[in-house]
Amino acid sequence: MRETLLDIENLRVTFPTRQGDFQAVRGVSFTLGRERLGIVGESGSGKSMTGRAILRLIRPPGRIEADRLAFHGQDLLAKSEREMQKIRGQKISMVMQDPKFSLNPVMRIGEQIMEIYRFHTGAGRSAARAKAVEMLEAVQIRDPERVMRAWPHEMSGGMGQRIMIAMMLVTEPEILIADEPTSALDVSVQTQVLSIIDRLVRERGMGLIFISHDLNLVASFCDRVLIMYAGRIVEVCEAGKLHEATHPYTRGLLGSLPRIDAPQPRLEVLRRDPAWAEAPSVSGRR
Amino acid sequence: MSRVSVENLNVWFGDGADRVDAVKNATFEVPSGASFGLVGESGSGKSTILRAIMGLVTTWSGRMTVGAFELGKKRPKDFYKDVQMVFQDPYASLHPRHSVDQVLGETLSLHGFRDIDQRIMKLLDDVGLGPAFRFRYPHQLSGGQRQRVAIARALAPEPSVILLDEPTSALDVSVQAEVLNLLADLREEHKLTYIMVSHNLAVVAHMCDATAVMQNGEIVEVMSVADMRAMKPTHPYTQHLLDSSFGYRPNAAQSA
Ligand SMILES: Nc1ncnc2c1ncn2[C@@H]1O[C@H](COP(=O)(O)OP(=O)(O)OP(=O)(O)O)[C@@H](O)[C@H]1O
Ligand SMILES: Nc1ncnc2c1ncn2[C@@H]1O[C@H](COP(=O)(O)OP(=O)(O)OP(=O)(O)O)[C@@H](O)[C@H]1O
Ligand SMILES: [Mg+2]
Ligand SMILES: [Mg+2]
């Protein structure tokens, strides 16, 4: 039998605005097993808010509602803020979309990784230090000793992203929610970083939610994909079959990609159909 | 004639054990009206080269020219009218408390324009944002809209050279297509020269004529886009990049 780590039914995220309530996520349902689940969809479609809602990281007055939001069968919406703090980072980690925002600008990189590791494992300083260096090496940082002593503003875009991944993986979570984790990495380093995540899924049974706008990457890296539009899921498919997707929105996204092997004078742009937003959300539960 | 040329550029930061040689002996030329790509390893010095051209780093040696200007430690006043940059991080590069109107208005008055009102409307129109966006703040814009504002700000002084650092990596593919079409139209219309950093080889192939490939501070190869499309690199690192650019393959991770 397939083990279910997360079970989500009819998830809604709502922000009150002056013009009335705005629903960023409008009734999304899916399960996550020990698998690599991709979420794709255009800017503003609700991908990040879905990920943040799982960890209850939506700031008030924003609201999270769901018929079911269960981690190992336990209702996450019923947990106290204290209990959630234990879950965040240790059981479920999230790599945020904007690494420079998530790093503390006035703390050296090494201290930040060590602090997280010590908080969750109770390890001593020297063990934490060794672990931090090891993680930086694993994410292909060329000069880990220098980077340990460096400040966030001294890092390149892609280095910041890899440091965030190192920080989130150091506690060996059961679920990793990765929001655009490799968008600033060259394809070679990206492959290396993904192989670490891949190994955690295959060898330790970690569950992965992989939010990305890189359709080719999701097609080749994930097991299943949810395609989101205007706060709903419009299509669910096996990742390997993403290129055969049938929804006109998914086809439109695929059609707007430039290609190395086929030059085009102009790129296709998406023509949106209001009916896409009206159709009920497709379920990604199984 | 070459519009931008960089010869034996070295850039370093820090000293002692923390010294980083971020760019080592980089040389390339960009003809007028062309688009030149910078691709390569994360942390290999791509952003640093753009920042050096813009005069945002002080510790460098070598020779850089833009048009007839030879660049020294300081940039002449009118340099920023001719050369503009769109930064890697669209979140960080716009001030959170400045509306679109303020961002564009201040840039225009800084460069001595008078007809600011008209120009703001024209700029918004150029980047495909309607007048409705004029008084919005960054947090009221999507990632793609924010990036267009950053591009509008770069266009405001009517530069002839624009340095673009990952202009579409924060965008979804449909907005990416819109932004790339826009950049191509603007280049055509205003005869612009671009230097464009991207880790997406298909984006570079679409936009550029040639690209430098960087690894660990060095340019290991300058290749034409025709050679890139034909998958004919000369350096093994470029080969490796091209091989990895068609999605994730577990075995590629081991062989690297
Ligand atoms: N505090 C807020 N108040 C009002 N609306 C918000 C707030 N935060 C987010 N939104 C809106 O919620 C919607 C979904 O946002 P979300 O960040 O999930 O998009 P996304 O799919 O991750 O997009 P991207 O690819 O650009 O990261 C967007 O339309 C956004 O403008
Ligand atoms: N202000 C600084 N102080 C110290 N080191 C710096 C500074 N800015 C950049 N560096 C270092 O210079 C090197 C090159 O950084 P750069 O930002 O140019 O890389 P990049 O090629 O743009 O990478 P990415 O694709 O990840 O953005 C990195 O090792 C970085 O840590
Ligand atoms: Mg997002
Ligand atoms: Mg960079």
Side-chain angles (χ1 to χ4, degrees):
Chain A
M1 212 199 88
R2 198 175 264 139
E3 191 183 349
T4 302
L5 297 175
L6 267 183
D7 189 352
I8 298 170
E9 222 180 303
N10 198 16
L11 173 70
R12 285 146 290 155
V13 176
T14 311
F15 294 100
T17 71
R18 243 175 275 163
Q19 293 81 29
D21 281 358
F22 173 75
Q23 279 213 317
V25 180
R26 303 188 300 150
V28 160
S29 302
F30 65 93
T31 49
L32 175 73
R34 302 192 182 279
E35 62 177 326
R36 294 158 297 190
L37 178 69
I39 304 183
V40 303
E42 66 178 353
S43 180
S45 59
K47 307 180 297 291
S48 299
M49 292 304 143
T50 300
R52 298 179 69 104
I54 294 168
L55 280 170
R56 288 189 22 210
L57 287 172
I58 305 285
R59 250 177 245 127
R63 298 194 304 274
I64 308 167
E65 291 153 310
D67 294 351
R68 197 175 163 77
L69 183 59
F71 170 55
H72 282 304
Q74 297 171 40
D75 183 3
L76 288 177
L77 291 178
K79 296 217 175 288
S80 70
E81 183 52 34
R82 255 185 94 98
E83 290 170 315
M84 279 312 291
Q85 273 171 19
K86 288 222 185 88
I87 289 174
R88 287 184 204 126
Q90 190 153 6
K91 304 264 193 232
I92 308 178
S93 283
M94 181 160 180
V95 178
M96 300 285 177
Q97 191 166 3
D98 201 335
K100 289 256 162 95
F101 261 5
S102 317
L103 290 169
N104 181 345
V106 295
M107 197 169 167
R108 292 179 196 271
I109 305 288
E111 289 294 329
Q112 299 194 43
I113 305 177
M114 288 165 62
E115 183 179 272
I116 283 216
Y117 185 64
R118 297 185 66 190
F119 178 78
H120 288 291
T121 63
R125 268 195 75 81
S126 65
R129 187 166 200 294
K131 183 73 184 176
V133 173
E134 182 196 316
M135 284 310 294
L136 289 175
E137 272 168 357
V139 294
Q140 308 292 308
I141 295 282
R142 270 186 182 268
D143 188 357
E145 290 292 344
R146 177 205 29 130
V147 168
M148 286 288 285
R149 290 187 297 270
W151 304 100
H153 78 268
E154 297 173 337
M155 300 292 98
S156 77
M159 289 164 83
Q161 236 173 16
R162 285 179 278 160
I163 289 161
M164 280 306 297
I165 292 172
M167 276 171 75
M168 291 303 118
L169 290 179
V170 75
T171 57
E172 309 206 336
E174 274 187 71
I175 295 176
L176 177 67
I177 302 170
D179 195 353
E180 302 279 9
T182 61
S183 64
L185 301 183
D186 66 88
V187 285
S188 165
V189 166
Q190 170 174 279
T191 299
Q192 306 286 324
V193 168
L194 290 180
S195 79
I196 306 171
I197 296 178
D198 196 18
R199 213 176 319 135
L200 290 172
V201 174
R202 280 182 296 118
E203 291 171 9
R204 289 218 354 272
M206 183 176 80
L208 173 71
I209 296 179
F210 189 78
I211 300 172
S212 174
H213 56 76
D214 188 335
L215 301 172
N216 289 325
L217 185 64
V218 169
S220 54
F221 180 64
C222 294
D223 302 306
R224 283 197 299 154
V225 193
L226 313 177
I227 298 114
M228 286 189 71
Y229 182 74
R232 288 188 177 154
I233 300 174
V234 294
E235 190 167 12
V236 178
C237 68
E238 260 176 67
K241 297 199 171 132
L242 182 60
H243 288 274
E244 298 154 35
T246 54
H247 196 286
Y249 169 61
T250 319
R251 302 275 1 135
L253 289 180
L254 289 165
S256 58
L257 290 172
R259 298 174 53 155
I260 294 184
D261 52 349
Q264 305 131 280
R266 259 188 112 64
L267 297 171
E268 299 273 338
V269 299
L270 199 62
R271 264 178 264 288
R272 292 167 184 79
D273 181 343
W276 299 345
E278 295 313 315
S281 194
V282 174
S283 172
R285 300 181 79 217
R286 56 185 207 182
Chain B
M1 197 198 88
S2 93
R3 192 69 186 75
V4 180
S5 93
V6 169
E7 234 180 285
N8 299 320
L9 176 69
N10 293 288
V11 183
W12 60 93
F13 298 103
D15 45 36
D18 288 332
R19 176 173 164 126
V20 188
D21 289 293
V23 178
K24 295 178 264 192
N25 235 12
T27 298
F28 62 88
E29 284 191 34
V30 187
S32 191
S35 295
F36 186 78
L38 282 179
V39 304
E41 194 182 17
S42 166
S44 63
K46 305 180 296 294
S47 299
T48 302
I49 288 183
L50 300 192
R51 295 172 63 84
I53 296 172
M54 291 305 282
L56 299 173
V57 293
T58 47
T59 46
W60 61 274
S61 68
R63 193 158 179 265
M64 296 189 279
T65 57
V66 172
F69 276 131
E70 174 151 359
L71 303 181
K73 292 292 165 195
K74 289 228 173 78
R75 299 287 170 273
K77 244 194 227 143
D78 42 2
F79 178 82
Y80 297 105
K81 199 164 155 25
D82 192 35
V83 185
Q84 281 284 317
M85 177 158 169
V86 176
F87 289 88
Q88 185 164 8
D89 188 350
Y91 293 87
S93 68
L94 294 177
H95 193 290
R97 279 190 240 293
H98 287 186
S99 69
V100 173
D101 181 73
Q102 279 170 296
V103 168
L104 299 179
E106 270 162 30
T107 308
L108 286 165
S109 61
L110 190 73
H111 289 282
F113 291 103
R114 291 282 172 77
D115 47 343
I116 288 179
D117 211 56
Q118 263 171 297
R119 281 180 181 268
I120 291 178
M121 299 308 283
K122 171 82 168 63
L123 283 168
L124 287 177
D125 190 54
D126 276 348
V127 298
L129 291 175
F133 289 93
R134 180 165 174 183
F135 296 102
R136 292 214 195 173
Y137 289 86
H139 75 271
Q140 296 170 315
L141 300 170
S142 79
Q145 292 157 352
R146 238 174 284 180
Q147 191 63 300
R148 287 163 194 240
V149 173
I151 292 171
R153 179 179 57 187
L155 290 171
E158 302 187 329
S160 59
V161 177
I162 305 185
L163 314 181
L164 299 149
D165 197 352
E166 301 273 14
T168 62
S169 75
L171 307 181
D172 71 78
V173 292
S174 57
V175 179
Q176 166 172 284
E178 290 169 25
V179 169
L180 293 180
N181 286 342
L182 166 75
L183 288 171
D185 291 346
L186 293 170
R187 176 179 55 194
E188 182 92 2
E189 198 178 321
H190 304 281
K191 301 277 164 285
L192 302 175
T193 304
Y194 292 150
I195 302 179
M196 180 174 194
V197 172
S198 177
H199 61 81
N200 186 326
L201 299 184
V203 165
V204 169
H206 179 72
M207 289 297 293
C208 300
D209 318 290
T211 184
V213 182
M214 294 191 70
Q215 184 184 29
N216 199 16
E218 289 178 63
I219 293 180
V220 298
E221 166 165 16
V222 175
M223 79 183 317
S224 71
V225 159
D227 282 345
M228 183 158 130
R229 291 205 193 274
M231 303 287 279
K232 277 190 195 147
T234 57
H235 194 277
Y237 176 68
T238 317
Q239 182 70 52
H240 178 63
L241 269 189
L242 282 166
D243 288 344
S244 321
S245 66
F246 293 93
Y248 179 73
R249 287 176 309 138
N251 298 332
Q254 273 102 59
S255 69

